Every structure is written in structure tokens, then in C-alpha cells.
Amino acid sequence: MSQDSTAAPESVRKLSGRRRREVVAVLLFSGGPIFESSIPLSVFGIDRQDAGVPRYRLLVCGGEDGPLRTTGGLELTAPYGLEAVSRAGTVVVPAWRSITSPPPPEALDALRRAHEEGARIVGLCTGAFVLAAAGLLDGRPATTHWMYAPTLAKRYPSVHVDPRELFVDDGDVLTSAGTAAGIDLCLHIVRTDHGAEAASALARRLVVPPRRGSGQERYLDRSLPEEIGSDPLAEVVAWALEHLHEQFDVETLAARAYMSRRTFDRRFRSLTGSAPLQWLITQRVLQAQRLLETSDYSVDEVAGRCGFRSPVALRGHFRRQLGSSPAAYRSAYRARRPQGEPMSQGGMDPVVPAQASPHSRRTAASGAPGHGPAPSALPEHPKASSDMYVTGSGRPSLPGQRSAP
């Protein structure tokens, strides 16, 4: 699902005379993942006029001195430098190598100039960090890969980070979630420029859906950035995850943190990018998913074991977050499960994953609607650093669509 622009037309600057709408500049940096980098090159750099897709002119620009080394050790030489950005009506930053390292000042200046001159600025996945460093996301809604949303929200508090969305269109500045969501955003740009028919023709060529209905919520994990480990809230969050089967609210968590509700809300959001109430609801839904996948409990029993006050409450929140009923989710999951894979016995509680313990894996904020879930994954870049996180447990992709909370 996308969040489309509601910006007033006058907020979008007129394109400078030296820039052309059909020219797309892709800004590459050393250390970037090759898959994300290749998405705009494939969408905007291949002539598909025979399929009814209007042609763009692609300029691949080095954001710093080359050669540029990608993941896997490949070396690239960009045919253009930053000076070519001045001709583009759309500038795409497909990725950035480190969510804690500042991008080159020269590249940030080029992005600011492009925006001031009316160019559309696009950040795919971690490219959102480059846009934020340039100040282009201040006061705007934005998204990024759900793993990095809390870090984006914490490092740039003026950005309204929403990790639920596959992409966010705020008029002249657009951002997307990770990897495949970059394709969704690029198709959206083609749809905006040339209509649904052209976007559908391109989607057929790429063998992808022309428009996906669900967001990132079904991929969310429970982990927190390592940096929260020393904060007192980490213990409160771990307690919440270990007691999801009990009925408690945010006031209970605030009391355990010895804070007022208002102070707790502010501290929780500043550390995780998540609103605590929506985070708690999301954790209960995630636990319900696990029980539906791994046990034979009835939906009523699952509701009770996840801390919902009634099965009706579970069904409502489950449908809002995943777009299907608990029963339909279980049926879809079992249909996809390989034959012979064992199920947990109905009389045994599935164990809460090890990351619920603050002494093993850092736990907690997966995506609260409105702000960020938490980073957790294998390093995506060759050299691990403090901004990389441990792996969380995966979950099959099942049908689902988020509605507004």
C-alpha cells in the first residue's frame, strides 16, 4: 500500500528550464547493495516503447569518486558525475551504504539544488537516509525498510517515519521500503507520469504486480536497535513481550518505567519511532500469528492467549493489520506449509522467541502504525558495523492489506 501525496500544488516547485522531465538521474555510492541500485536502472534505463512504455533518458551518476564497489565486491564506473544531476527532472538515490555514516557533502548539495529547482527526489530503501541528511524529509512523511525505520526516526526526529508503507509519495519527495518496494515506487512514478496503462505494461515486462495492496506490516520483526540495550525502557519492553498473554495497557508499562503516561509515550517514541499503544497492539497481533501458525488453538483461545479482551477485538485488529480474518490466515498458512512439517500440539504453548530476553537478542518495536518497527537482520553490506543487527525470525508472505488505523 502506498501513501500518496496530499501536498498542495503550490508546494511543488516549478521545474528549472535546464532540467527535463524525461531525464532521470540515478545517484550511486560505493558500498551500496547492487539489487536496489539496479532497480531504477532497469525501470528507467531500458527502451520498452514497443510495449507501450514511454522512454526515459537515464543518467547514472557517481555520488563520489569511483570506482564504486558494490556488495559482492563488484566495481562500477559511473558514466556521469554530480554535474549531470543538474539536467534531471527526477533524481533517484537507490541506497546508502551505512545508516549511521554521513553522505558526502557534495552529493547532499546536489540534491538540495535539484529540489530547489523543481526536480522530483526519490529515495529507495536506505536512500531515505541520504534525503534526510540533505534536509529534504524535514516535516514530511517518509518510509524506509522496516528494519531501519526506528533509526531513521531517532536520527531525524523531524521526519514523520511510517514503516507500514511500501512507499510514500509526498509530491516532490518520494521514499520506499526495502528492495522490492523500490519496484513498487518506480512503477508508481511511471503511473504518475504516463498513466496506469503504461505502468501495467511495464509491470508485465518485469513480471511483477502493477500495484501491491499490502504494506510492510506482515514482514515486521520484534527486535530493537542495539543502542536501546542500555536504556531502562528495554526492560519494560522485554517484560511486555514476555507477558503478552496477560491483559495490560500502556499505563501499566508507564508505571513499570516509573513515568507518567505522557513522558513514557514521548520516551518510547523517541527510542523506537513507535507509538506505544499501536506497538503493543501490533505485538499482540504478531503473537496471534505465531499461535495460528504453530498450534491448534481455536481463534477464541488465541485471543485470550494474546491478551485481547475478546475474540472480536482480535479479529478487528488482525483484519486491520493483515487484511484477513484469523481463520483465513491460518488456512492460507497451512495451505503453504510443506507437507509433513510438524505442528505444535494444541495443549502446548509455543515458546516466545529468544529475542524476548534482553540478555540474548534486543527486543521489541516492530511496527506501530504511524512510526517505526525495529531493525533486525543480517548485515546487508560486506563489512558489519554498529548499525547492523541480528537476524529475526522470518514469516511466510500471506495475503493481506492494511487499512488506516
Side-chain angles (χ1 to χ4, degrees):
M1 178 173 292
S2 66
Q3 177 176 326
D4 293 327
S5 173
T6 55
E10 57 267 23
S11 66
V12 179
R13 296 171 175 84
K14 183 179 179 181
L15 191 63
S16 168
R18 62 178 175 172
R19 296 181 181 273
R20 295 290 180 267
R21 287 289 178 196
E22 69 277 9
V23 176
V24 177
V26 176
L27 200 55
L28 299 182
F29 298 96
S30 190
I34 192 167
F35 184 30
E36 284 84 347
S37 300
S38 69
I39 288 170
L41 306 186
S42 178
V43 171
F44 302 112
I46 298 177
D47 186 354
R48 297 187 176 92
Q49 294 180 89
D50 62 322
V53 181
R55 186 173 185 177
Y56 290 88
R57 182 183 177 194
L58 180 70
L59 303 177
V60 182
C61 306
E64 56 194 340
D65 293 337
L68 309 177
R69 183 180 294 273
T70 73
T71 51
L74 299 178
E75 286 192 352
L76 304 176
T77 301
Y80 299 95
L82 286 172
E83 69 284 349
V85 174
S86 64
R87 296 146 55 189
T90 298
V91 182
V92 183
V93 183
W96 174 238
R97 59 176 167 263
S98 171
I99 61 175
T100 58
S101 299
E106 297 80 7
L108 299 182
D109 288 341
L111 288 171
R112 294 187 193 103
R113 283 195 302 272
H115 182 251
E116 289 169 0
E117 295 177 0
R120 176 172 50 191
I121 311 298
V122 181
L124 308 182
C125 193
T126 52
F129 284 82
V130 180
L131 273 58
L136 302 183
L137 298 181
D138 291 350
R140 291 179 178 265
T143 194
T144 187
H145 195 296
W146 60 264
M147 293 191 306
Y148 307 126
T151 304
L152 183 64
K154 184 175 180 180
R155 290 177 64 84
Y156 303 99
S158 61
V159 181
H160 306 309
V161 182
D162 188 345
R164 299 169 300 172
E165 307 292 355
L166 291 176
F167 63 84
V168 173
D169 179 346
D170 195 45
D172 54 355
V173 178
L174 303 87
T175 51
S176 82
T179 313
I183 301 176
D184 295 299
L185 179 50
C186 289
L187 286 173
H188 171 73
I189 291 172
V190 174
R191 187 181 302 113
T192 300
D193 290 349
H194 302 292
E197 188 174 341
S200 295
L202 177 56
R204 287 193 294 272
R205 281 293 182 94
L206 298 175
V207 197
V208 297
R211 189 193 297 264
R212 286 196 285 172
S214 59
Q216 295 191 78
E217 284 174 322
R218 56 191 170 137
Y219 306 107
L220 301 179
D221 201 344
R222 296 159 54 105
S223 305
L224 278 177
E226 292 290 335
E227 60 206 57
I228 197 178
S230 60
D231 193 278
L233 283 190
E235 295 183 7
V236 176
V237 162
W239 180 90
L241 290 172
E242 292 167 357
H243 293 79
L244 288 175
H245 58 284
E246 301 177 9
Q247 292 183 9
F248 60 87
D249 54 20
V250 178
E251 281 76 10
T252 302
L253 300 180
R256 292 190 67 86
Y258 302 100
M259 297 178 186
S260 68
R261 170 64 186 273
R262 187 173 182 177
T263 300
F264 181 79
D265 282 4
R266 185 173 64 252
R267 288 279 298 131
F268 193 96
R269 190 184 291 271
S270 69
L271 281 169
T272 70
S274 301
L277 176 59
Q278 293 300 329
W279 172 84
L280 181 58
I281 292 171
T282 299
Q283 296 307 316
R284 295 195 189 282
V285 170
L286 285 171
Q287 182 70 347
Q289 284 182 269
R290 296 183 185 99
L291 291 178
L292 291 167
E293 293 169 2
T294 61
S295 79
D296 291 321
Y297 292 126
S298 69
V299 172
D300 288 11
E301 289 175 309
V302 169
R305 290 173 179 272
C306 296
F308 288 105
R309 297 186 183 278
S310 70
V312 173
L314 167 61
R315 290 186 180 95
H317 289 301
F318 203 95
R319 185 173 292 278
R320 274 191 290 274
Q321 290 199 23
L322 296 171
S324 66
S325 69
Y329 179 89
R330 170 176 273 168
S331 296
Y333 179 82
R334 290 185 175 180
R336 289 170 179 252
R337 197 181 70 232
Q339 290 186 354
E341 181 178 311
M343 286 279 292
S344 299
Q345 297 299 316
M348 299 177 62
D349 286 334
V351 177
V352 175
Q355 62 260 41
S357 167
H359 303 294
S360 55
R361 292 184 182 176
R362 302 300 178 195
T363 55
S366 61
H371 285 285
S376 167
L378 288 173
E380 292 189 1
H381 306 297
K383 184 177 179 180
S385 63
S386 61
D387 55 290
M388 302 305 175
Y389 311 102
V390 296
T391 303
S393 58
R395 183 169 289 101
S397 301
L398 298 176
Q401 178 174 354
R402 184 190 67 80
S403 356

